[in-house]
Amino acid sequence: MSEDEQKLVDTAGDYCYAVKNGEPVADPQWNSCRLVMTSKRLVLANSSGKQTLPHSNIEIVDDDVVPDGVDAAGATPLRIGDNVVLFDATGISDFEREYCRATLHGEIILANHPAVVGGVVQDDSEWRKTRFRLDDETISLGFPGGGSTSFAVEDVGTIETVTRQVMGQERTVLEVEHTDEEDRSVETHFSGMDHHTTALQSLFERVIEDREGDYELTETENQVLMALYSGVSPFEMADFVGLPVDEVEEIYQKLLDVGAVDEVRTRTEVALNAQGRNMASEAMSEN
């Protein structure tokens, strides 16, 4: 291992070829192995030998690429060339998230930060190379010249995937909304090599999916949520939406129950969190 390569995971695991050389495997079999993830590669080792797979040759894919009849429950499918391989690992509760962290760890990607602040596009913000790290659930971006920024991965509210020109090339761009160190709603835009953007998209989508519930907001609750998203003060909400104060407080309690807001002062003030910003963005897009 080179000096700049870090071992991040070393555990027992299992793998299974669901697709091999582009064809579904007729009788897929699970094989046990020692599974090592470094910042550069994925390594499988067993009595038959060792396979070393650079992250640049691996793509995170959805379950729908797994042929019918293959039991993929709890496993993570990865595309490696013409193959689709299922992975599971002992002691890792979320293999996909851990793999995303490994393939992005210490990598140089492209970032535009902050591209948007409070809904306002920052015309003077530019794309820069940045070193990406995800440690202790905090994303850190290191910029040339010593500048840096960080935010909690759980604070990501929404993501959008688009295609546009970045540094003279047509690239996939992830527009990621989160809060910054000043508690402002900002967007950081990410791009780079395909396996980087795929891993980033999988990471952020998994964060959002994991905290989503089954609760459906009423039209009035959506109205309050969107008003908070638009910057209306909780103290002015009753007048803004034309509801009695006690009814607004009941709605705040429901939003607290579904994890859309954080309580700031008891029964008087709330603040949207990442889940709430995501819910408000979805509600606004439907109107």
Side-chain angles (χ1 to χ4, degrees), residues 161-181:
T161 304
V162 299
T163 301
R164 64 164 64 105
Q165 285 283 323
V166 177
M167 293 185 168
Q169 294 187 32
E170 195 83 0
R171 298 179 186 268
T172 299
V173 174
L174 298 181
E175 301 175 345
V176 180
E177 186 276 339
H178 58 94
T179 55
D180 65 2
E181 294 91 337

Side-chain angles (χ1 to χ4, degrees), residues 212-261:
E212 284 181 346
D214 297 327
Y215 186 83
E216 292 290 336
L217 296 180
T218 66
E219 183 177 347
T220 303
E221 291 163 355
N222 267 326
Q223 187 179 4
V224 171
L225 193 69
M226 288 186 288
L228 288 169
Y229 189 75
S230 300
V232 175
S233 167
F235 300 107
E236 300 170 348
M237 186 62 66
D239 290 337
F240 184 84
V241 298
L243 294 174
V245 172
D246 58 348
E247 189 170 339
V248 170
E249 290 192 351
E250 288 179 6
I251 292 174
Y252 286 163
Q253 185 57 54
K254 289 182 180 179
L255 296 177
L256 281 165
D257 291 342
V258 301
V261 298

Side-chain angles (χ1 to χ4, degrees), residues 55-280:
H55 294 313
S56 57
N57 295 345
I58 301 174
E59 180 186 359
I60 298 171
V61 290
D62 296 327
D63 291 342
D64 56 13
V65 304
V66 179
D68 293 339
V70 178
D71 184 8
T76 298
L78 299 177
R79 179 177 282 125
I80 306 167
D82 293 331
N83 306 317
V84 174
V85 187
L86 302 175
F87 290 91
D88 198 4
T90 304
I92 299 178
S93 59
D94 192 336
F95 182 92
E96 181 177 336
R97 187 160 173 167
E98 196 64 30
Y99 180 75
C100 289
R101 185 172 78 91
T103 194
L104 293 165
H105 188 80
E107 289 291 281
I108 300 298
I109 62 175
L110 301 177
N112 182 353
H113 172 84
V116 179
V117 177
V120 179
V121 175
Q122 304 299 290
D123 293 330
D124 58 347
S125 183
E126 298 179 344
W127 286 96
R128 294 178 287 173
K129 292 182 179 180
T130 179
R131 188 172 294 278
F132 183 98
R133 293 185 69 91
L134 172 56
D135 293 309
D136 298 326
E137 305 307 308
T138 297
I139 289 175
S140 300
L141 305 177
F143 299 105
S148 65
T149 190
S150 63
F151 59 93
V153 68
E154 295 294 341
D155 196 36
V156 170
T158 62
I159 64 168
E160 295 288 340
T161 304
V162 299
T163 301
R164 64 164 64 105
Q165 285 283 323
V166 177
M167 293 185 168
Q169 294 187 32
E170 195 83 0
R171 298 179 186 268
T172 299
V173 174
L174 298 181
E175 301 175 345
V176 180
E177 186 276 339
H178 58 94
T179 55
D180 65 2
E181 294 91 337
E182 300 175 40
D183 204 30
R184 302 176 300 176
S185 173
V186 304
E187 285 185 16
T188 299
H189 295 175
F190 294 99
S191 191
M193 298 177 66
D194 288 346
H195 71 284
H196 290 151
T197 53
T198 301
L200 284 166
Q201 183 175 355
S202 177
L203 172 67
F204 294 134
E205 285 181 346
R206 191 65 171 268
V207 168
I208 293 171
E209 289 171 2
D210 285 350
R211 65 166 178 255
E212 284 181 346
D214 297 327
Y215 186 83
E216 292 290 336
L217 296 180
T218 66
E219 183 177 347
T220 303
E221 291 163 355
N222 267 326
Q223 187 179 4
V224 171
L225 193 69
M226 288 186 288
L228 288 169
Y229 189 75
S230 300
V232 175
S233 167
F235 300 107
E236 300 170 348
M237 186 62 66
D239 290 337
F240 184 84
V241 298
L243 294 174
V245 172
D246 58 348
E247 189 170 339
V248 170
E249 290 192 351
E250 288 179 6
I251 292 174
Y252 286 163
Q253 185 57 54
K254 289 182 180 179
L255 296 177
L256 281 165
D257 291 342
V258 301
V261 298
D262 296 321
E263 191 172 51
V264 181
R265 298 192 187 107
T266 303
R267 296 188 64 80
T268 59
E269 187 176 2
V270 294
L272 279 184
N273 54 29
Q275 170 70 350
R277 296 194 304 275
N278 184 44
M279 293 169 69

